[in-house]
């Protein structure tokens, strides 16, 4: 066994073997995989192993299509069969919402060159004559869908990795992972120790236990999951081809051919958790007792759709464990608090994602960043707030609603609240409907209308509109406590910030600047506001949900001596007071002059407001006249009450985050993880003007490379034609393709109705399209006319902002 390796992968399931294989494909051949038992033991061996490309996330769809295409290449490369069956998949829609979801997926497939399209009932009946299509509104066809052999795929990855120089050691449990002072690791086993700069936790059902060896707590929990295989069905035995799989997600089951029978699986409401306190070390190829009564309702729906299921005998039942994260996505990437510790845990559709997951993991370790923005998978999206109770509640909800549509902006109640601020109860009394942001509860809107989710406009649409108009006409008070807040202080503070960020830090006390954070490939890893509070003290504001994600970048630049970087997000709160009457509102509470001559745009000062000391910044994400007000958490409720009271005589009041989304889209402001991500180059986003190339900063060489190339696309704002019937019932939300004369030219990143400009709006990226051009945006999966605007419809000259 080697004593040194470039990376040590822990776990010999399909994901661990894929990561090992892809590391060798990217040139790391001195790599080792350690498996406690035999390859595939755990949850890999009993997986249904379906493969499909459909996903609501475009980037996840991309890596699933990569995976589907990889298996046959892997067979040719290694000589190891993967048991690939690709008779196709039928996707059925019983509801209008599912029709919208599937047609949007088909539009994305057309944009990205994927094979997924709508067919009629006659064609569907030809493809699968055993299905009763009554009640089905829409049928999509994915010719490449199917299934693979779990053992074959895993061993093919292993064979390919071995051929490229990797070492795989079976029956070798890891007993410890010890961090070294130089940032490397010692992986301890009974067969010897291995020194490595990278530990990869791909331990599947034992991911929690392996993480705990490194002092890491992962929000994961296993459940039982059942599927069954029928005896031979004569109709199938008599066919000369394999039947396509059936994805009837409104029916909450999945179905495909297995041998000469059918395999039927279900995600039932009656969830069974397993191994809550830790996965048994001796568990391997065991299964749980059958419990088909628990999935009886799902089975009956499958029988209604495919009657042969009800007349065939059951050949075998598989009831085995799966391990879930709170949102059913993988926990992926380097742990921000550690050096060289990579997680890949909590994978559910492993055989649809294994290839792409392995490739992205290898890219991150070898090249420093993934090709695609995968924040939806990033382990950093959860913090220590995602404890056992939250994880159990969310996993139960995810399992029971596995096939439920995840609507844009949907909020689920399970496990909440987790983290609240002092003003929480007051906001609830005022009618706040709450959302979740990195564990924090925050107001979405204020009103008696319950929160709902869908592709079309919801009952709260008018309530949000009233908040927008109130702010634009008078003033609004927005809780921005979930913004990330940092303090950097000490003699090296300015030097450190200049070394991290691409813009030059403010030279004068009381001034602020906007600055990008540059990713490893030269894209936009973040956008921040930095304010100089004193000669050696700076205040930094960034995306709240990305706080742990951004920690990796901050850690990449050593802090100078006697310089302190601290997060104040947990202990400080904030409000944005904005609108034409915001100055009048705040002037009721302070003796400080807020006139432009005394308090210009992008300036700051520590002032007293209603007896509370606050840091006031003359900025606003609404694009209107306004101030951000930051205070100690203990003062939040008192300050909030004072602001609400001062606003009442002016007709001002509380405003939620959904209104803020609309207001910032009206102004054309980008948002991190939507318009700003490592995939986008600064000159595509319009942030290149903020990059000071005459100084050194993090990943400067990478951004200089991309800036030397012409932009591939440009961020634009679009106005949808409201005269179209469907367009008057829905607004885009993000991900919708943009076409010109049938040719894909871009996609939407954000959308909202602009209540104060009376237009349905979108932000998005297009390639080679000039302002004034009429294009088609795939709203609700159907083409709708839209025009690319030259300027944002609200205050294009910025006069309100600087008033």
């Amino acid at each position: 066994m080697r004593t040194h390796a470039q990376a040590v992968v822990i776990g010999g399931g399909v994901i661990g073997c894929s990561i090992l294989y892809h590391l060798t494909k990217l040139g790391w051949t001195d790599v080792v995989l350690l498996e406690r038992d035999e390859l595939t033991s755990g949850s890999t061996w009993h997986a249904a192993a379906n493969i499909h490309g459909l996903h609501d996330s475009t980037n996840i769809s991309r890596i699933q299509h990569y995976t589907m295409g990889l298996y046959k290449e892997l067979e040719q490369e290694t000589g190891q069969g993967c048991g690939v069956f690709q008779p196709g998949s039928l996707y059925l829609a019983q509801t209008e919402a599912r029709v919208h979801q599937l047609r949007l997926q088909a539009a994305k497939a057309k944009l990205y060159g994927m094979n997924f399209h709508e067919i009629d009932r006659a064609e569907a009946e030809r493809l699968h004559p055993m299905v009763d299509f009554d009640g089905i509104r829409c049928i999509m066809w994915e010719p490449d869908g199917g299934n693979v052999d779990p053992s074959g795929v895993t061993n093919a990855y292993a064979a390919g990795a071995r051929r490229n120089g990797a070492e795989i050691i079976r029956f070798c449990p890891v007993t410890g992972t010890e961090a070294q002072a130089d940032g490397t690791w010692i992986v301890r086993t009974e067969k010897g120790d291995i020194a490595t700069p990278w530990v990869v936790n791909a331990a599947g059902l034992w991911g929690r236990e392996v993480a705990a060896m490194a002092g890491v707590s992962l929000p994961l929990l296993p459940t039982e999951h059942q599927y069954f295989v029928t005896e031979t069905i004569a109709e199938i035995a008599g066919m000369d081809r394999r039947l396509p799989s059936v994805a009837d997600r409104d029916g909450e089951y999945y179905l495909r051919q297995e041998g000469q029978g059918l395999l039927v699986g279900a995600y039932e409401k009656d969830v069974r958790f397993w191994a809550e306190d830790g996965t048994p070390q001796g568990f391997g190829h065991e299964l749980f007792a059958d419990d088909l009564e628990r999935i009886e309702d799902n089975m009956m729906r499958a029988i209604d759709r495919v009657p042969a299921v009800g007349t065939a005998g059951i050949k075998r039942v598989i009831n085995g464990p799966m391990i879930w994260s709170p949102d059913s996505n993988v926990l992926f990437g380097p742990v921000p608090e550690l050096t060289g510790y990579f997680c890949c845990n909590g994978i559910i559709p492993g055989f649809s994602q294994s290839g792409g997951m392995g490739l992205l993991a290898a890219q991150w370790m070898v090249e420093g960043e993934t090709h695609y923005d995968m924040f939806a998978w990033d382990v950093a999206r959860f913090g220590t707030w995602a404890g056992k109770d939250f994880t159990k509640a969310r996993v139960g909800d995810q399992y029971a609603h596995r096939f439920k549509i995840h609507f844009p902006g949907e909020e689920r109640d399970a496990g909440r609240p987790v983290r609240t601020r002092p003003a929480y109860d007051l906001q609830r009394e005022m009618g706040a409907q709450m959302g979740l942001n990195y564990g924090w509860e925050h107001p979405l809107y204020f009103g008696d209308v319950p929160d709902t989710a869908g592709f079309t406009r919801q009952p709260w649409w008018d309530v949000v509109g009233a908040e927008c108009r109130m702010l634009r006409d008078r003033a609004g008070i927005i809780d921005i406590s979930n913004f990330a807040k940092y303090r950097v202080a000490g003699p090296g503070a300015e030097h450190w910030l200049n070394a991290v960020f691409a813009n030059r830090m403010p030279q004068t006390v009381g001034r602020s600047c906007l600055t990008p954070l540059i990713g490893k490939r030269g894209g936009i890893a973040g956008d921040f506001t930095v304010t100089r509070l004193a000669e050696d003290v700076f205040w930094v504001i960034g995306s709240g949900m990305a706080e742990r994600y951004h920690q990796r970048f901050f850690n990449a630049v050593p802090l100078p001596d006697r310089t302190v970087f601290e997060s104040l997000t947990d202990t400080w709160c904030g409000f944005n007071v904005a609108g034409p009457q915001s100055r009048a509102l705040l002037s009721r509470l302070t003796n400080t002059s807020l006139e432009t001559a005394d308090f210009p745009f992008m300036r700051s000062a520590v002032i007293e407001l209603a007896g509370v000391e606050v840091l006031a910044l003359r900025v606003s994400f609404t694009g209107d006249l306004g101030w951000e007000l930051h205070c100690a958490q203990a003062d939040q409720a008192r300050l909030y009450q004072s602001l609400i009271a001062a606003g009442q005589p002016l007709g001002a009041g509380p405003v939620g985050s959904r209104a803020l989304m609309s207001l910032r889209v009206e102004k054309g402001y980008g948002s991190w993880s939507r318009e700003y991500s490592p995939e986008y180059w600064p000159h595509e986003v319009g942030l290149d003007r903020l990059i000071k190339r005459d100084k050194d900063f993090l990943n400067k060489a990478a951004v200089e490379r991309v800036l030397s190339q012409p932009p591939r696309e440009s961020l634009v704002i679009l106005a949808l034609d409201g005269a179209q019937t469907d367009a008057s019932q829905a607004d885009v939300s993000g991900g919708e393709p943009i076409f010109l004369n049938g040719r894909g030219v871009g996609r939407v990143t954000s959308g909202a109705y602009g209540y104060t400009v009376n237009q349905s709006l979108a932000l998005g990226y297009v390639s080679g399209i000039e302002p004034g051009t009429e294009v088609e945006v795939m709203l609700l999966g159907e083409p709708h006319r839209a025009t690319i605007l030259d300027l944002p419809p609200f205050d294009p000259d910025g006069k309100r902002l600087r008033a």
Side-chain angles (χ1 to χ4, degrees), residues 506-760:
Q507 297 298 296
T508 304
V509 173
R511 288 181 179 264
S512 303
C513 77
L514 304 177
T515 180
L517 179 71
I518 302 300
K520 197 74 173 181
R521 299 180 188 271
I524 302 296
D527 64 307
F528 294 79
T529 303
V530 182
T531 300
R532 191 170 202 136
L533 301 182
E535 185 60 31
D536 58 356
V537 181
F538 292 82
W539 183 266
V540 182
I541 298 173
S543 168
M545 68 177 179
E547 181 163 2
R548 197 171 175 221
Y549 167 89
H550 285 141
Q551 187 175 333
R552 298 190 187 106
F553 295 88
F554 298 146
N555 291 344
V557 180
L559 277 169
D561 291 341
R562 296 181 296 124
T563 301
V564 176
F565 171 88
E566 58 181 333
S567 170
L568 299 178
T569 308
D570 290 359
T571 56
W572 279 67
C573 299
F575 298 105
N576 180 202
V577 179
Q581 293 296 314
S582 58
R583 179 180 286 118
L585 189 160
L586 294 175
S587 294
R588 292 168 173 258
L589 302 174
T590 183
N591 292 323
T592 301
S593 172
L594 303 179
E595 295 302 320
T596 298
D598 302 312
F599 209 133
F601 179 62
M602 293 297 285
R603 299 295 194 274
S604 70
V606 176
I607 67 173
E608 188 175 286
L609 204 66
V612 174
E613 184 177 278
V614 304
L615 170 62
L617 279 64
R618 175 83 191 274
V619 294
S620 175
F621 200 39
T622 65
D624 216 314
L625 172 67
W627 281 260
E628 286 185 5
L629 310 167
H630 300 277
C631 68
Q633 181 162 281
D635 294 324
Q636 188 206 22
R638 180 157 62 108
L639 178 60
Y640 193 54
Q641 288 174 316
S642 298
L643 292 171
I644 295 295
Q648 286 177 347
L650 300 172
V655 169
S657 62
R658 288 195 176 141
L660 181 59
M661 169 70 81
S662 169
L663 297 167
R664 67 104 179 164
V665 170
E666 288 181 345
K667 185 63 177 173
Y669 285 165
S671 173
W672 191 84
S673 86
R674 298 179 180 94
E675 288 72 45
Y676 304 151
S677 96
E679 286 189 39
Y680 304 135
W681 294 350
H683 49 324
E684 296 170 343
V685 184
L687 296 182
D688 49 318
R689 60 187 173 82
L690 300 178
I691 295 175
K692 300 300 184 283
R693 300 169 71 175
D694 59 348
K695 73 179 184 81
D696 289 328
F697 54 86
L698 189 64
N699 298 321
K700 179 183 177 182
V703 81
E704 286 189 323
R705 282 195 300 272
V706 302
L707 290 175
S708 69
Q709 304 175 51
R712 302 160 299 180
E713 53 193 358
S714 300
L715 178 63
V716 297
I717 185 166
L718 305 94
L720 277 71
D721 184 352
Q724 298 172 92
T725 303
D726 286 347
S728 66
Q729 301 302 316
D731 304 288
V732 294
S733 58
E736 294 87 351
I738 302 170
F739 291 91
L740 175 63
N741 299 325
R743 174 175 61 90
V745 295
R747 72 273 176 210
V748 171
T749 50
S750 292
Y753 188 78
Y755 296 93
T756 66
V757 295
N758 298 316
Q759 290 178 298
S760 185

Side-chain angles (χ1 to χ4, degrees), residues 177-361:
T177 55
E178 297 178 9
Q180 304 302 295
D182 63 354
T184 64
W185 293 83
I186 299 294
V187 179
R188 302 203 182 278
T189 78
E190 294 177 356
K191 296 183 179 181
D193 300 338
I194 307 174
T196 181
W198 279 103
V199 173
V200 182
N201 180 352
L205 292 173
W206 294 269
R208 295 172 295 174
E209 289 71 27
V210 169
M213 293 178 186
V216 176
S217 178
L218 294 178
L220 294 166
L221 186 62
T223 67
E224 297 182 16
H225 176 63
Q226 293 185 95
Y227 65 84
F228 65 88
V229 178
T230 71
E231 300 282 0
T232 295
I233 296 174
E235 190 173 352
I236 295 177
M239 299 191 72
D240 60 357
R241 61 182 175 86
R242 192 175 181 88
L243 290 170
S245 60
V246 176
D248 184 5
R249 292 174 174 174
D250 293 320
E252 298 184 314
Y253 65 87
Y254 56 88
L255 181 150
R256 68 165 172 83
Q257 183 175 337
E258 176 72 5
Q260 293 184 335
L262 292 171
L263 180 153
V264 182
Y267 292 93
E268 69 280 7
K269 304 298 184 190
D270 187 9
V271 184
R272 290 289 188 271
F273 298 104
W274 178 72
E276 293 186 44
D277 296 323
T279 303
Q281 286 300 311
F283 189 85
H285 287 83
E286 296 85 353
L287 293 172
F288 308 126
D290 305 350
D291 191 7
L292 288 181
E293 287 187 7
R294 211 166 72 244
I295 64 170
E296 184 175 356
D297 290 345
N298 308 67
M299 290 170 58
M300 294 308 297
R301 288 190 290 270
I303 290 169
D304 288 343
R305 187 63 57 201
V306 184
V309 173
T311 58
I314 294 178
K315 182 178 181 180
R316 68 178 183 273
V317 178
I318 301 293
N319 186 12
M322 307 169 71
I323 192 162
W324 299 70
S325 75
D327 60 4
S328 75
N329 279 338
V330 60
L331 302 178
F332 185 78
V335 173
E337 297 78 15
L338 301 175
T339 300
Y341 193 96
F342 198 99
C343 285
C344 197
N345 306 97
I347 304 101
I348 301 304
F351 287 90
S352 286
Q353 297 177 350
S354 70
M357 202 169 285
L359 175 61
L360 293 175

Side-chain angles (χ1 to χ4, degrees), residues 159-177:
R162 285 193 185 102
R163 287 181 56 179
N164 293 334
E167 183 178 8
I168 296 176
I169 305 170
R170 298 171 300 147
F171 306 104
C172 184
V174 171
T175 59
T177 55

Side-chain angles (χ1 to χ4, degrees), residues 21-87:
Y21 168 78
H22 282 91
L23 284 170
T24 67
K25 296 294 281 187
L26 292 189
W28 282 13
T29 57
D30 184 14
V31 288
V32 176
L33 183 145
L34 303 174
E35 164 54 41
R36 55 179 289 280
D37 196 284
E38 183 58 86
L39 298 184
T40 77
S41 61
S43 57
T44 292
W45 73 272
H46 61 73
N50 299 319
I51 57 173
H52 57 89
L54 177 70
H55 199 282
D56 289 332
S57 164
T58 297
N59 280 351
I60 295 177
S61 289
R62 285 167 161 170
I63 69 102
Q64 290 186 176
H65 277 82
Y66 165 79
T67 301
M68 292 167 68
L70 177 64
Y71 290 135
K72 289 184 178 178
E73 296 176 14
L74 200 57
E75 286 182 327
Q76 294 177 352
E77 178 185 339
T78 66
Q80 166 68 50
C82 291
V84 182
F85 294 101
Q86 290 181 290

Side-chain angles (χ1 to χ4, degrees), residues 401-420:
H401 299 102
R402 175 63 179 159
F403 291 143
K404 183 178 182 291
I405 296 172
H406 287 260
F407 291 110
E410 180 182 22
E411 300 283 348
R412 296 191 177 183
D413 293 333
R416 294 169 53 195
V418 183
R419 297 203 287 178
T420 61

